[in-house]
Amino acid sequence: MNTAVSFQGYARQDGRKGIRNVLVVAYLVECAHHVSRKIVTLANDMDVHLIGFPGCYPNQYAYEMMRAVSTHPNVGGALLISLGCESMNRDKLLKEIRASGRPAELLVIQEAGGTKATIEAGLAAVARIKVEADKTPRVPMALSELIVGTICGGSDGTSGISANPAVGRCFDALVEANATCIFEETGELIGCETIMADRAITPELGEQIEACVAKAEHYYRVMGFGSFAPGNADGGLTTMEEKSMGAYSKSGSSPISGLIKPGDIPPTGGLYLLDVVPDGEPRFGFPNISDNAEIIELIACGSHVILFTTGRGSVVGSAISPVIKVCANPETYRRLSEDMDVNAGRILEGEATLDEVGAEILQNVIDVASGKRSVSEELGHQEFILTYKSFEPIGPSCLPVRQIA
């Protein structure tokens, strides 16, 4: 492939580059959700996105996630909306966003005068922040500077033989170009731990990969329910092992360079596994209550773009980073074509090869990075969800120095 591909990015003061320049309106507790949503709705701008954390109780994971997404390379500015008595450290969050070089403001509903007054003040703040964010310089951005995440949702029996391996082909090409690729959901990779360990660039990393999948298996066993939905079975998947192998195929065949946790930024190009299952004994419920919870964790790790594969069909997108939909099932594509970017079902009907669809997905990544709106962006999808979790810091064996031949 042509590794000299480049496009115009947004230069951030921390040295990273973004492919979008969105402004986030962030509620810091559910009590501020309605006011924040009204501000975003009335702003009526595709580049003003709603994000937030609903919980009132303190949680370090939630804070770190809000910091990570509010300072993501695709974010140009932020407006924080607080009720006034929640546990989220609003002043620290505001300070960290401003320290990243982004314009940011804070409104406290209890001090601003209530719903109507805060909405009015919020709209004025959005206008001010947007003027500053629009001054962000544009600079050339290489393919090697992209971080691309992938997730599967609404999987069926076709996912693992068309869309997922096609994304794997795209990942292989991106890694070859020294871009960064992230695949996730250790709870959906149970049974694949030995295969992944064999691909790790060091034996120590392989041991960490096996341990994190064992943690996921324990977590789901205690919860009494694995990552296998009724729709998966209705769509032709018969076992967890079958689903795991299909999910695994999204990773392609490149060496695995590291194991990260939500909010960790991969230090170099390469392929990374994201461990999304909380550390310690199960105490926060299911590891991810929906696909969008995983998408947000991929974004918190710096993903500029998300590749979302689906067999049964999914219409979600995301705030902050564009979602590219790759449909595995040709029948699903015919029903939901207006929500899809790529029809990988053509592989099953003999109209295209895995390599050809992989190349098409890669071209979609380049086009979206160059400014083209993905289908979910055009439709206005900006889903965001964040819950309670707890993680321990990763050790040095999770991010070994890559051996460059």
Side-chain angles (χ1 to χ4, degrees):
M1 64 171 294
N2 180 12
T3 57
V5 171
S6 66
F7 28 86
Q8 290 293 298
Y10 293 88
R12 306 301 176 193
Q13 289 188 18
D14 60 8
R16 297 193 291 172
K17 300 173 185 177
I19 65 167
R20 295 291 184 270
N21 197 35
V22 303
L23 186 158
V24 294
V25 176
Y27 58 92
L28 306 184
V29 67
E30 185 63 23
C31 309
H33 190 163
H34 172 74
V35 168
S36 303
R37 185 175 295 279
K38 289 292 287 185
I39 293 169
V40 171
T41 300
L42 293 172
N44 192 29
D45 187 324
M46 290 182 71
D47 291 321
V48 176
H49 293 192
L50 179 69
I51 67 172
F53 176 64
C56 191
Y57 294 94
N59 180 249
Q60 187 61 29
Y61 160 83
Y63 178 85
E64 293 299 332
M65 291 291 289
M66 288 295 289
R67 180 199 56 77
V69 297
S70 296
T71 58
H72 187 279
N74 287 354
V75 173
L79 171 62
L80 307 182
I81 307 294
S82 163
L83 175 62
C85 51
E86 68 278 352
S87 295
M88 180 69 71
N89 191 333
R90 59 180 181 266
D91 293 324
K92 181 181 179 183
L93 182 58
L94 179 67
K95 183 178 179 180
E96 291 203 63
I97 296 171
R98 286 175 171 171
S100 75
R102 292 164 174 79
E105 296 190 27
L106 166 68
L107 291 173
V108 180
I109 296 171
Q110 292 170 348
E111 299 172 2
T115 297
K116 290 183 178 179
T118 309
I119 291 170
E120 183 177 350
L123 287 168
V126 165
R128 288 192 298 271
I129 296 168
K130 193 163 179 57
V131 168
E132 292 304 309
D134 286 345
K135 297 176 183 177
T136 305
R138 303 298 300 274
V139 295
M141 184 174 177
L143 191 60
S144 60
E145 296 177 281
L146 269 185
I147 302 178
V148 181
T150 188
I151 176 177
C152 47
S155 300
D156 67 8
T158 68
S159 297
I161 54 178
S162 59
N164 289 1
V167 165
R169 297 291 205 279
C170 174
F171 262 27
D172 287 342
L174 285 166
V175 170
E176 184 181 357
N178 204 34
T180 303
C181 295
I182 308 173
F183 70 112
E184 49 64 62
E185 186 51 288
T186 46
E188 290 189 355
L189 293 168
I190 294 170
C192 300
E193 58 271 24
T194 303
I195 306 171
M196 292 189 293
D198 288 342
R199 291 171 59 192
I201 62 173
T202 67
E204 294 77 15
L205 173 58
E207 291 172 3
Q208 291 293 327
I209 290 173
E210 291 188 281
C212 83
V213 176
K215 177 187 68 171
E217 185 174 6
H218 170 72
Y219 202 108
Y220 279 112
R221 183 181 294 113
V222 171
M223 295 304 298
F225 191 86
S227 184
F228 197 97
N232 297 147
D234 292 341
L237 288 170
T238 60
T239 63
M240 187 65 230
E241 290 81 2
E242 185 179 10
K243 185 179 181 184
S244 291
M245 287 302 295
Y248 166 78
S249 66
K250 298 196 307 298
S251 68
S253 59
S254 303
I256 298 176
S257 295
L259 174 67
I260 58 176
K261 298 183 182 183
D264 294 331
I265 308 298
T268 65
L271 177 66
Y272 294 81
L273 171 61
L274 173 60
D275 176 12
V276 301
V277 177
D279 292 324
E281 286 301 308
R283 58 195 176 107
F284 291 112
F286 290 105
N288 278 309
I289 60 175
S290 71
D291 294 327
N292 276 95
E294 297 170 70
I295 290 175
I296 297 309
E297 290 177 326
L298 286 165
I299 292 172
C301 292
S303 297
H304 296 94
V305 179
I306 305 296
L307 300 177
F308 191 123
T309 67
T310 183
R312 291 183 60 82
S314 176
V315 301
V316 301
S318 179
I320 299 174
S321 294
V323 172
I324 296 173
K325 289 289 188 40
V326 183
C327 187
N329 190 320
E331 292 297 329
T332 301
Y333 182 83
R334 283 187 272 273
R335 286 195 307 273
L336 299 175
S337 60
E338 293 184 350
D339 282 276
M340 303 298 163
D341 296 274
V342 178
N343 177 14
R346 292 181 296 128
I347 296 167
L348 300 178
E349 296 186 324
E351 297 175 359
T353 66
L354 276 173
D355 287 337
E356 288 170 341
V357 175
E360 182 181 347
I361 296 168
L362 177 60
Q363 188 60 53
N364 268 261
V365 170
I366 294 169
D367 291 345
V368 167
S370 300
K372 178 185 176 182
R373 300 274 186 181
S374 72
V375 171
S376 65
E377 280 186 289
E378 288 285 3
L379 292 172
H381 283 283
Q382 296 178 8
E383 288 84 350
F384 188 97
I385 186 168
L386 188 57
T387 57
Y388 286 93
K389 284 188 179 183
S390 178
F391 287 96
E392 298 296 328
I394 59 174
S397 58
C398 291
L399 287 175
V401 177
R402 292 184 67 210
Q403 302 297 316
I404 306 298

